[in-house]
């Protein structure tokens, strides 16, 4: 991306080389199904003067239990990481909308994520009843903290040298009832999410909490 007149073509070039190995193991024990995997990854990425070499592992385990012919339980947990995308590296101000502008640090880095979740599913096709509930938790670290201002009616976010972690709790449910004689279906869905994270307000870092329901 060239935004400076007569700038070299490599002025804002982002390059990444990713090498990974993902061994996995699956076990079936009667009504139990286990899967283990652990990706090992190496990443070399550069942007302008910033260069990083990262090596990390991403272990992940899933367990499925076929409790009865009508119900099953699934559980999963794992660690993962992802490099900052070019959109999160670009250090020239970018308008992300007509009223929002963002500027990053131009530094290559990685964001880490830990997650765990489960789901219980009940299915009774003859009675036309279907139910699922899915609670989960996720924590991310290495997120960039932005300082925000409003100038000329434009919301401007500029990346600081601070980073933060965020924890989210989520719950999703769904209940369906089919009426075959009427060729119709009624579905009720519900979801809730609670996120805890710090936010930079002025020069102070404040603990924030956001609740979302649907």
């Amino acid at each position: 991306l060239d935004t400076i007149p007569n700038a070299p073509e490599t002025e804002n070039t982002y390059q990444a080389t990713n090498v990974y190995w993902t061994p996995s193991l699956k076990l079936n024990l009667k009504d139990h199904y286990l899967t283990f995997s652990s990706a090992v990854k190496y990443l070399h990425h550069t942007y302008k003067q910033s260069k990083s070499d990262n090596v990390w592992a991403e272990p992940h385990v899933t367990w499925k239990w076929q409790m009865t012919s009508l119900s099953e339980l699934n559980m999963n947990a794992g660690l993962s990481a992802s490099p900052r995308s070019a959109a999160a590296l670009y250090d020239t101000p970018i308008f992300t909308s007509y009223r929002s502008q963002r500027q990053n640090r131009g530094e290559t880095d990685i964001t880490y994520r830990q997650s765990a979740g489960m789901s219980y599913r009940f299915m009774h096709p003859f009675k036309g009843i279907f139910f699922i509930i899915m609670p989960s938790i996720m924590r991310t670290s290495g997120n960039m903290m932005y300082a925000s201002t409003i100038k000329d009616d434009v919301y401007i976010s500029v990346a600081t040298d601070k980073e933060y972690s965020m924890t989210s709790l989520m719950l999703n449910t769904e209940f369906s009832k089919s009426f075959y004689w009427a060729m119709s279906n009624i579905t009720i869905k519900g979801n809730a999410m609670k996120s805890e994270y710090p936010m930079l307000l002025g020069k102070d870092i404040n603990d924030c909490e956001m609740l979302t329901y649907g």
Side-chain angles (χ1 to χ4, degrees):
L1 296 173
D2 297 322
T3 57
I4 304 174
N6 303 319
E9 292 183 358
T10 57
E11 176 68 25
N12 291 303
T13 299
Y14 170 68
Q15 295 181 334
T17 302
N18 191 5
V19 180
Y20 57 91
W21 177 53
T22 312
S24 62
L25 174 66
K26 294 183 179 181
L27 297 175
N28 294 344
L29 304 172
K30 292 185 178 180
D31 299 326
H32 299 271
Y33 306 87
L34 292 170
T35 302
F36 302 92
S37 64
S38 182
V40 179
K41 297 186 177 183
Y42 164 75
L43 175 68
H44 172 77
H45 49 153
T46 61
Y47 176 75
K48 292 187 176 180
Q49 303 301 317
S50 182
K51 180 185 301 184
S52 296
D53 290 278
N54 304 96
V55 179
W56 71 91
E58 296 185 355
H60 191 264
V61 58
T62 61
W63 169 46
K64 177 183 176 181
W65 177 21
Q66 193 69 43
M67 305 172 67
T68 68
S69 60
L70 303 177
S71 61
E72 66 179 40
L73 179 67
N74 290 272
M75 301 185 70
N76 65 83
L79 307 175
S80 61
S82 56
R84 288 178 181 159
S85 64
L89 287 172
Y90 200 66
D91 56 355
T92 299
I94 298 177
F95 275 91
T96 56
S97 72
Y98 289 107
R99 293 288 187 181
S100 302
Q101 185 188 87
R102 171 165 291 196
Q103 183 174 0
N104 300 297
R105 291 202 306 245
E107 297 178 358
T108 55
D109 207 345
I110 287 184
T111 300
Y112 294 92
R113 180 172 61 253
Q114 305 94 43
S115 61
M118 66 166 289
S119 67
Y120 172 76
R121 188 187 304 268
F122 177 83
M123 300 164 287
H124 201 309
F126 293 108
K127 292 185 177 181
I129 296 176
F130 305 90
F131 172 75
I132 184 171
I133 181 170
M134 297 183 294
S136 60
I137 181 173
M138 182 174 64
R139 178 178 174 83
T140 60
S141 58
N143 303 294
M144 284 189 296
M145 184 169 287
Y146 290 84
S148 302
T149 58
I150 294 180
K151 182 179 179 180
D152 298 331
D153 294 330
V154 175
Y155 184 77
I156 301 174
S157 298
V158 180
T160 66
D161 58 352
K162 300 179 176 61
E163 295 183 349
Y164 70 93
S165 298
M166 180 175 68
T167 302
S168 297
L169 298 170
M170 292 157 283
L171 178 65
N172 291 276
T173 60
E174 180 175 331
F175 175 81
S176 296
K177 179 67 175 74
S178 296
F179 302 92
Y180 300 114
W181 56 271
M183 300 182 64
S184 60
N185 178 75
I186 295 178
T187 301
I188 299 175
K189 297 181 180 181
N191 62 76
M193 182 175 70
K194 176 182 178 181
S195 298
E196 296 179 345
Y197 56 94
M199 179 179 289
L200 186 64
L201 299 176
K203 296 182 179 180
D204 300 324
I205 297 178
N206 293 264
D207 292 329
C208 300
E209 181 179 275
M210 180 172 67
L211 301 175
T212 306
Y213 304 96

